[in-house]
Amino acid sequence: MNEKTIINADRSYRLAEQKAVEYFNSLADQHAGETYVPTLTKDFESWKSNHIHRRSLLSFFTNKKKPSQKDYHRYIGWLDMTGKLEPYLDRSISYIFMRDMGKALDSPETKQRIQSVVNGLKKDLTTKQADNDDVFSMAKLYRKAQRNGIESTLIWVTEKLKTITANIPEGMDAEEAQRKLIKIIAGLVMQEIEELGDEVAPEEKSTRLDTTIRLGYAYGLTYPFIDDLLDSNVLSEQERNQYSELIRVTLVTGAVPELGEWTGKNRNLMLFIHSELKAAFEFIKENQPEEEWRAFLEQAYVFFKSQEVDRVKNLANENYTNEELYVPVILKSSASRLIVRSIISAPEDEGIDNRTFYYGIYNQLADDFADMVDDREGGRVTPYTYYLEHHKKRPDLINPFELYWTVIANLIHQVYDSDPKTSDIILDRAINGLKRFKEKKGDKGYNEVMELFFSANPAFNQTIQQMVRKATDVDFFDKLLRDHMVSNLQKERKEREEFTEMTRMMRKEINDFLPISNGGSVSIMNEPIIEAANYSLISGGKRLRPIVTWFMGTEKYRLDKAAILPLLKSLEYMHTASLIYDDLPAQDNADLRRGNPTLHEAYNTAVAELTGLFLTQKAVEEQASLETFDAKLVLQLIHYSASVTAEMCRGQAMDLKTKEEPLTLEQLNQMCFYKTGLGFEAALIMPAILAGTDELEKQALKKFARHAGIAFQIKDDLLDVDGDQELLGKSPNRDSKNNNSTFVSVLGQEGAKKEMWEHYCLGMEILQELKQENPFLKHVLNYLVHRDY
Ligand code: IPE
Ligand code: IPE
Ligand code: MG
Ligand code: MG
Ligand code: MG
């Protein structure tokens, strides 16, 4: 490859390596001298007073009520109630400031910043409704983004995440990729907010946050698409080498080369990744000050290379030295954090850089400890797996668990100058890590591991084990949040799958009972009307309206399914009729509907007009046959249904008039409510009428339907511009060809998306108030805005 290098990659790596070797040698000396044992024993002695309490009668009662940490809201409520919330948050935020931002906790400014973050967070956690668990819901995030003027950025990143998840190949974990990306973006945003300080002007803040989120995404992509991909078995050996080389060339030349010939079986995947990463790389480049670009590339190279060095190691190789094992660990774990500062162009700060450099290995050794079983099964070389594999024949190998405590002692006393708070927090974290490990593995599994790694130091071991058993108040908010996020993502996914499966089955059944029979009447003429009606009915469609009615009718109002069957039919008849009219030459003049030629194309306009009328009347006929219900209710239903149909006609007429005069946003919302929103409303209100539901609830449902319906229409307008004809079953760009006023023509695509999410949030907020015990409507709304057809 013809490469024009702009950095001296080997030299950068050697320099970084040198520093890491020095650090490692110092750790190895401390380890050999066992100085960490008396030091930490003493540290634990004073630490204990805050964490090991004799159980008083009172604590016996309060302890009993302590909820599980799996119950996020109750756990926070409990912390608050017992006065533990503030120290809990203080410990957690201090830790993040130390780990992610390289801060020293004894600086007065840092103390003040931590206090202010803790106060804000405490207020947030204790004043918001405690009973909703959607901390990460799109509606909440969107509202937050609006307050900061970055809603377009949120929409952008949401769409990006969706594309990424859809493109994660089998053999890799899509959910994990998503979580990592979110975590990295959140981390960068947090750092940027700290860099910005409190006094920044709102416009400046939104511009900076916008860039930071995009940078976070750009950098975050490297985790699933470089790191995890190269770690996985998705690529063949040859593909892996080709890909690694491509990345190396990118970093040393500062430009992404063409993908070139790709003969491996993952060509499509690589085309996608190449184009995404290229855009990401160029975005980072654009946002780096010229003079720092090289430094950034060098750092990225050190990060990449140190991972490569580890990746090609073989667990069966008996000859790695301690230095070979630990130096890449020091390099990659610190580079991953140092690079963040360089991405957001934070000012240089030697103190931060040094602390970050020394800190990394602590986290890495804690992570590798927790993952050792998986890593060993996967054949990955980490200090732990390698030690397990070879320590019997290699007495010279450093016990990684002992080195871990050495690192801790070194951090507390050499790096952080024996600051008591730092000492407290690092020990909290270490004990918490072991407690979590013990919980996960069970006593037996835990003890086995401990015996393996801790036999040489019985007294120190005993101290640690006592802490693990007895210490309290060592848990951390970031862990709670992480667990909560993981379980929420899982819950959401499960619910979504159930929703998809349920609606699929409903759709299938609806399709079976929709066709109209001629009732056995014998005709001596060839009449096309029933055939035409069935042509329109059976050619497809999402069946959204009858699905909503079915679910609400049977699950919420406990109505008998067979009894409401006529209602389900009537809704789809009315809807299909509205589409037949909408497609007519005099209206939208469409040629394709539900994947087939429109009715007037397949037959003729007269047949289409008559079929529309025929279907609306069939709908009334069905409604009038809801005979198991009280006649008054049925009458009320027919009355409502007729008025909705009339209003929808008004809506269509307004729509057609917009060819002459474009609408304001307000008029647009109104028009869409009439032409589309009401159809949705009917699907929710009709079963409520049959169930004799009270007026208050109906009003709330109507409010929800209005926003859901408008969001639905906006999505329809957006799909008209960027949808896939094959999936949609309709010809695209109808609206612009017809010169119709739509959300896209009035607000532009960007603006239309914002308006859609606004209605989405309004809809979700109503559901929140309604306190639905079933998430069905939430999933309907999600489906409306996320659908591709
Ligand atoms: C299309 O409705 C007309 C609008 C109200 C935007 P649908 O998108 O529900 O159409 P089908 O029933 O799935 O074909
Ligand atoms: C149709 O809106 C509204 C109706 C209730 C018929 P559109 O004209 O945007 O619907 P499509 O895009 O043709 O399905
Ligand atoms: Mg139309
Ligand atoms: Mg149309
Ligand atoms: Mg449309």
Side-chain angles (χ1 to χ4, degrees), residues 562-564 566-567 621-631 634 690:
I564 59 167
L567 179 60
E621 192 183 322
E622 290 293 341
Q623 291 168 0
S625 64
L626 287 160
E627 48 203 20
T628 58
F629 295 93
D630 178 28
V634 177
L690 290 183

Side-chain angles (χ1 to χ4, degrees), residues 12 248 673 741:
S12 317
R248 191 193 62 79
F673 167 64
S741 272

Side-chain angles (χ1 to χ4, degrees), residues 578-579 581-583 587-589 593 651-652 655-656 659 671 675-676 713 716-717 734-735 738 740 742:
S578 80
L579 298 179
Y581 288 124
D582 178 70
D583 289 336
Q587 297 196 23
D588 287 353
N589 192 23
R593 170 67 66 184
Q652 275 295 99
D655 186 359
L656 295 171
K659 291 187 207 307
M671 182 260 283
K675 76 168 185 180
T676 310
Q713 181 63 48
D716 182 80
D717 292 352
R734 263 296 100 202
D735 296 329
N738 283 330
N740 281 354
T742 66

Side-chain angles (χ1 to χ4, degrees), residues 532-533 535-537 573-585 587-588 593-594 598-600 604-605 607-613 615:
Y535 173 86
S536 294
L537 285 171
Y573 292 167
M574 281 159 55
H575 169 58
T576 304
S578 80
L579 298 179
I580 294 172
Y581 288 124
D582 178 70
D583 289 336
L584 285 174
Q587 297 196 23
D588 287 353
R593 170 67 66 184
R594 295 174 167 174
T598 44
L599 191 60
H600 64 268
N604 57 56
T605 309
V607 168
E609 285 170 348
L610 287 167
T611 306
L613 186 57
L615 280 171

Side-chain angles (χ1 to χ4, degrees), residues 55 140 156 234 241 243 303 316 459 464 493 596 634 683 773:
R55 289 174 58 152
K140 288 247 170 69
W156 176 84
V234 171
N241 293 338
Y243 186 41
F303 186 20
I464 303 286
R493 177 167 49 98
N596 287 318
V634 177
E773 65 261 22

